[in-house]
Amino acid sequence: MTLDMVLTTLETALTELQVYKNEATDILTGAQHLEIFNHQPAVSHDTLAKEIQTYVDVIAAVTNAIAATEAVKEKYGILLATGYPQFPDVEALVGVVADITADRDQINKALAHLKPMPEATGGEILVTEEPPPKK
Amino acid sequence: MADFLEGKQRRYTCVPTDSNGNPAQVDLSNLPIWAVADPTLITLAPDPGGNLLINIGTAQSKEGDTTVSCTFDADRGPGVPRNVTVTSAVQHVVAPSATGGTITEQDL
């Protein structure tokens, strides 16, 4: 992999990570809104708090990944500008890119799990027998 | 489902789905509206656990068929509200009739 390719990969990863971070922030804002106004009493505060914490963790992970990507990108930018593409740590930096990609995939999975459900357009009513009322 | 006998209770759980039949979310800031087609057959009460998509129905002392429905707001943004109504299967309510019994004797 050439330096240009590494740089392109990093820039792509950075763009995608920023999208994920913005998405997670939006969803977190919505979740906090629900908690504040108690619009969804079917969901307990404990459950909501855990979901919000998950988003906080996801955003922190994305922020760290973006910072790491930017650092690598800056380093390569300097190297490219100085005209010395034979940087000895190319393999290590490619490893960093792989780690970032792995983080991104993990973040994507977390977001997919916590994204708001699609709106309802139909459904059914399940009927189950209740135990006799207590006297 | 078996007959719904007088005094017995059933739990009615509204399960919203999207157009693909997958579980979906409703806007609970507008309270779901529960109804019985013939309210003289079944009375409804909110779920004691506070779940707005569940109601507890009690069979009354009258025989007949009816359904239970739930209307909820699926409007997720600006524009025209889209109320969705889902209806249960027919509930056959019966008052239990006597089919036997015993006579006990007691010295006075």
Side-chain angles (χ1 to χ4, degrees), chain B residues 31-56:
Chain B
L31 296 179
I33 299 170
W34 286 84
V36 182
D38 183 347
T40 64
L41 292 174
I42 298 175
T43 57
L44 287 179
D47 170 42
N51 190 325
L52 298 176
L53 294 178
I54 296 177
N55 256 220
I56 305 298

Side-chain angles (χ1 to χ4, degrees), chain B residues 2 8-9 11 13-14 20 24 32 39 63 67 75 79 82 86 101:
Chain B
K8 297 289 185 182
Q9 292 191 322
R11 173 183 297 262
T13 305
C14 180
N20 295 320
E63 181 160 350
T67 55
D75 181 25
R82 284 183 291 177
V86 292

Side-chain angles (χ1 to χ4, degrees), chain B:
Chain B
M1 201 165 192
D3 292 341
F4 195 2
L5 300 181
E6 175 192 351
K8 297 289 185 182
Q9 292 191 322
R10 285 180 176 174
R11 173 183 297 262
Y12 296 93
T13 305
C14 180
V15 184
T17 58
D18 64 15
S19 56
N20 295 320
N22 297 316
Q25 182 172 302
V26 303
D27 184 354
L28 293 176
S29 59
N30 292 325
L31 296 179
I33 299 170
W34 286 84
V36 182
D38 183 347
T40 64
L41 292 174
I42 298 175
T43 57
L44 287 179
D47 170 42
N51 190 325
L52 298 176
L53 294 178
I54 296 177
N55 256 220
I56 305 298
T58 304
Q60 300 303 296
S61 55
K62 186 181 170 186
E63 181 160 350
D65 291 334
T66 189
T67 55
V68 174
S69 66
C70 177
T71 301
F72 50 82
D73 184 4
D75 181 25
R76 305 298 298 165
V80 181
R82 284 183 291 177
N83 288 337
V84 178
T85 300
V86 292
T87 304
S88 73
V90 172
Q91 305 291 289
H92 183 59
V93 179
V94 295
S97 56
T99 55
T102 60
I103 293 177
T104 58
E105 298 174 350
Q106 185 179 11
D107 290 333
L108 298 177

Side-chain angles (χ1 to χ4, degrees), chain A residues 16-92:
Chain A
E16 291 182 7
L17 286 172
Q18 283 172 332
V19 170
Y20 290 137
K21 183 186 176 186
N22 292 341
E23 195 171 13
T25 305
D26 288 345
I27 298 172
L28 174 61
T29 303
Q32 285 170 334
H33 177 80
L34 282 176
E35 185 181 50
I36 291 168
F37 295 100
N38 197 26
H39 276 178
Q40 201 168 0
V43 177
S44 74
H45 275 233
D46 283 349
T47 301
L48 207 51
K50 282 178 187 172
E51 289 205 3
I52 290 174
Q53 186 57 49
T54 301
Y55 277 113
V56 170
D57 293 344
V58 167
I59 288 174
V62 173
T63 303
N64 289 338
I66 286 176
T69 305
E70 283 176 335
V72 172
K73 181 183 167 186
E74 185 181 356
K75 203 170 186 179
Y76 265 110
I78 291 170
L79 288 168
L80 288 172
T82 57
Y84 290 97
Q86 298 84 9
F87 187 67
D89 290 339
V90 168
E91 291 301 322

